[in-house]
Every structure is written in structure tokens, then in C-alpha cells.
Amino acid sequence: MTTENGGGALRPSAEEQYAAELAACAAADDRPRPPRWRMSPQAVVRYVLGGKLPDGTVITPKYIGDRRLVEVAVGTLVTDRALLLLGVPGTAKSWLSEHLAAAVSGNSTLVVQGTAGTSEDSIRYGWNYARLIAEGPSEAALVPSPVLRAMRTGAVARIEELTRMPSEVQDSLITVLSEKALPVPELNQQVQAIAGFTVIATANDRDRGVNQMSAALARRFNTVVLPPPATEDAEVEIVAQRSAQLGRALQLPAEPPSLAEVRRVVRIFRELRNGGTSDGRTQLKKPSGSLSTAEAISVVTSGMALAAHFGDGSVGADELAAGLLGAVVKDRVSDAAAWQEYLEAVVRERAEWRDLYRACRELGV
């Protein structure tokens, strides 16, 4: 699929942004490839986790986490089962889904975005109503969904936030996943998926009970749970890497913040998320928000924007304070109390964080 970018896409697809790395991985790949895969399963894992190719080409890591989880995810895609990436907000489910699709089929854009308003047409097909009225049901009048296009081309279809969709829309996937076919009764035909077709879905742990998957649908998926970063160091690496990438993509005229500044943001998020300081000495109130890694990346990127356009280009406490306040205080009562407690009990007591305490106090709540 080609995309119109008007001179430069704000957020290129994975296959566009990492075209050179995908090509290098495929060129260096001498292992067997499943039908219509652009590279072998081993090469897909290498592309996702990063490394150095025999010719010296450096592949940047797209996902920082347990290698075995990625191997299980890729192994699932080789079978006839669909893959469900499950986790709390900010665990890179969509990011991993996109890069898996780009590596496997070279197209990560066959996406259905799950919302409360997603209709069954988004999973199956719709109609060009002008042609439908003029000509009646016909192949020319049919508008294929991303899933149907993936079935016809042997590609990966992505379904984002599966459990946000109404239950009856979710269940329209059952025939597709079990029979690898999609009936089109209006045309008296059935579309059969060709080899290479599969589905990667994502779902949020916190959405359980919203539109929970039926047992019949859940059986069609192999579920891989993506945990939050296990250590502070791992989360610092993720936030530093992604914020630097975003800064380049947005052409921000500011240097990425030092690892010390990134670590401050990450430690604040982890301590509030866990309800206690890293040394275990102080118990804390937990804010209502998820305080995910993705939100930490947003705080750092926002700090870079402020430093670039309203500061001296260097990210410090003043640039991070506003982003921290916006990320933590979602509820003006309970979250404000939790943030005030954290400022007074933790930030104020850390001598090396006095500048951050001052900047946060100046903003108020």
C-alpha cells in the first residue's frame, strides 16, 4: 500500500521508516520462509529485537523486553492461530504489532481500530451505496475491510483495542479465524484466505469487563501478555530511545535530555505506579492514571519541545514539570492529593531534585 504524505509523513509506517533495516534483514536471511513471508521467523525476531547482521549492518531494537515473548509471538504467526497481544496501557502492544506486520508481510497498514462505534462492516465488508443502488450487489460495489484485503493477499491484518469493540462485532471474527473464510451472501460467494493470512490483535488489561471476549473467540487466539518494563534501567532505555526518535521525526531543534533527566521521569512514574519509593521506605498514594511508559515518553518529548522553542534547547526541571503535572493529575481531587504528597514526602527530600521540586511547586495544581 502507498500513502500520500504531502512531502513528508508526520508518522511514517514501520515499513517506510525502517525500509533499509527490513531490506537488510531480508537480504541476510538464508533460512526457510513461510508462504508469502518477507523473511524467516528468525529474521523477524532479529528485526524486532535488534542486533548486528553479518555484513555489519546495525539493526535498532524496536521492542526492549523478553526475547522469548517475541519468539512465541512470531511462532504463533507461523501457525493457523491468531495472535493477541495483551497488557496494561503503554506496554508497546501496538508498536510491536505494527513491526511484526511490517516484517512478516511488508504492510502494517491493514488496520481496524476498535472503538465503541466500530461496526461489523469494519471487520467484514461494506458497500459503495451509489453503485449498489445503481447496479445491485456486485464485486465492484463491494468495499473490502482491511481484514478481507489481508485474506485476499495473504497478509497480516491488525485489530487494535479488540475489547473496545461491541461483543457482536468481535464475534464476526470467529468464522474468519476458524474457517479462514468470509461468506459474502449478497454475492453468493465465500472468500477463502490464502496462505500467509493471519491476524494480530491488541487488547488492554484494564478494559476487561467493557466488552469482554467470548470464550469462542478467545479460543481462536494465542495470547501473549506484554509486561511493563521489568527494571528501571530497561524503562529508561525505552524512554530515551523513543523520545530521541520522536524528536528527530518532529524536527525539534533541541538535544535529547540527559539520561539523568530521563531517569527522574521514569523513577517518578514507577514509584507512583507501584505506590512506594524505590528504596521501599515510603508508601505512596497511587494516582488514578496508568502512568505508562508511553506517557513517560510523552513527558520527555514535550519537555524537548518546550526547551527547543521556549528555552535554551536543554531539557531540565522547568521543561519536565508541566508534563509531569499533566500526566499525573487526571482527577483534580484524588490525583492532586497524591501528587502533593509525593512532592512533599519524596521530591523535596532528595537534594539532587530540589530544582524539580521548585519547578513543580511554581506550577501549583
Side-chain angles (χ1 to χ4, degrees), residues 206-254:
R206 295 199 173 190
D207 283 345
R208 288 181 178 175
V210 176
N211 288 304
Q212 194 162 345
M213 288 168 43
S214 66
L217 180 58
R219 285 197 302 271
R220 269 72 182 181
F221 283 99
N222 185 37
T223 301
V224 173
V225 179
L226 299 183
T231 66
E232 182 179 292
D233 287 343
E235 192 162 4
V236 168
E237 182 180 357
I238 293 168
V239 174
Q241 176 183 297
R242 284 293 295 135
S243 58
Q245 290 173 341
L246 286 170
R248 289 192 297 269
L250 296 170
Q251 299 181 32
L252 295 176

Side-chain angles (χ1 to χ4, degrees), residues 136-195:
S138 67
E139 184 67 36
L142 185 140
V143 179
S145 69
V147 174
L148 182 52
R149 295 204 301 274
M151 294 175 69
R152 286 174 166 172
T153 58
V156 176
R158 298 170 51 215
I159 300 178
E160 292 294 312
E161 302 291 355
L162 176 62
T163 52
R164 297 299 303 173
M165 299 191 302
S167 299
E168 62 272 16
V169 177
Q170 294 179 33
D171 284 345
S172 65
L173 278 169
I174 291 177
T175 301
V176 171
L177 298 183
S178 59
E179 306 297 330
K180 301 298 185 288
L182 180 59
V184 187
E186 296 90 343
L187 301 181
N188 193 30
Q189 66 176 239
Q190 179 171 262
V191 177
Q192 297 282 347
I194 67 173

Side-chain angles (χ1 to χ4, degrees), residues 1-267:
M1 171 181 282
T2 59
T3 57
E4 295 183 6
N5 58 34
L10 180 61
R11 204 284 197 181
S13 63
E15 58 271 22
E16 295 172 328
Q17 187 175 359
Y18 294 93
E21 291 189 14
L22 287 164
C25 285
D29 184 21
D30 58 0
R31 304 232 184 178
R33 305 179 185 187
R36 291 182 181 80
W37 278 44
R38 297 295 182 94
M39 60 185 80
S40 69
Q42 294 90 342
V44 172
V45 171
R46 179 186 288 171
Y47 165 75
V48 170
L49 294 179
K52 183 178 284 189
L53 300 180
D55 65 1
T57 302
V58 175
I59 305 300
T60 58
K62 319 302 180 302
Y63 176 76
I64 298 172
D66 189 342
R67 181 184 185 86
R68 194 58 177 170
L69 288 178
V70 178
E71 291 176 340
V72 170
V74 174
T76 296
L77 300 178
V78 179
T79 71
D80 64 347
R81 291 176 66 80
L83 171 65
L84 176 63
L85 299 175
L86 183 68
V88 297
T91 48
K93 301 181 294 297
S94 298
W95 182 249
L96 180 57
S97 167
E98 179 181 357
H99 283 283
L100 287 174
V104 169
S105 57
N107 186 359
S108 64
T109 64
L110 297 173
V111 185
V112 176
Q113 180 60 57
T115 69
T118 301
S119 67
E120 197 169 319
D121 291 356
S122 301
I123 301 292
R124 295 166 58 82
Y125 53 85
W127 297 98
N128 179 328
Y129 286 103
R131 300 197 71 160
L132 184 65
I133 293 170
E135 306 168 5
S138 67
E139 184 67 36
L142 185 140
V143 179
S145 69
V147 174
L148 182 52
R149 295 204 301 274
M151 294 175 69
R152 286 174 166 172
T153 58
V156 176
R158 298 170 51 215
I159 300 178
E160 292 294 312
E161 302 291 355
L162 176 62
T163 52
R164 297 299 303 173
M165 299 191 302
S167 299
E168 62 272 16
V169 177
Q170 294 179 33
D171 284 345
S172 65
L173 278 169
I174 291 177
T175 301
V176 171
L177 298 183
S178 59
E179 306 297 330
K180 301 298 185 288
L182 180 59
V184 187
E186 296 90 343
L187 301 181
N188 193 30
Q189 66 176 239
Q190 179 171 262
V191 177
Q192 297 282 347
I194 67 173
F197 166 71
T198 192
V199 172
I200 303 176
T202 65
N204 185 337
D205 264 354
R206 295 199 173 190
D207 283 345
R208 288 181 178 175
V210 176
N211 288 304
Q212 194 162 345
M213 288 168 43
S214 66
L217 180 58
R219 285 197 302 271
R220 269 72 182 181
F221 283 99
N222 185 37
T223 301
V224 173
V225 179
L226 299 183
T231 66
E232 182 179 292
D233 287 343
E235 192 162 4
V236 168
E237 182 180 357
I238 293 168
V239 174
Q241 176 183 297
R242 284 293 295 135
S243 58
Q245 290 173 341
L246 286 170
R248 289 192 297 269
L250 296 170
Q251 299 181 32
L252 295 176
E255 290 296 318
S258 67
L259 284 180
E261 293 296 349
V262 174
R263 188 173 296 278
R264 285 207 289 192
V265 174
V266 168
R267 182 165 295 177

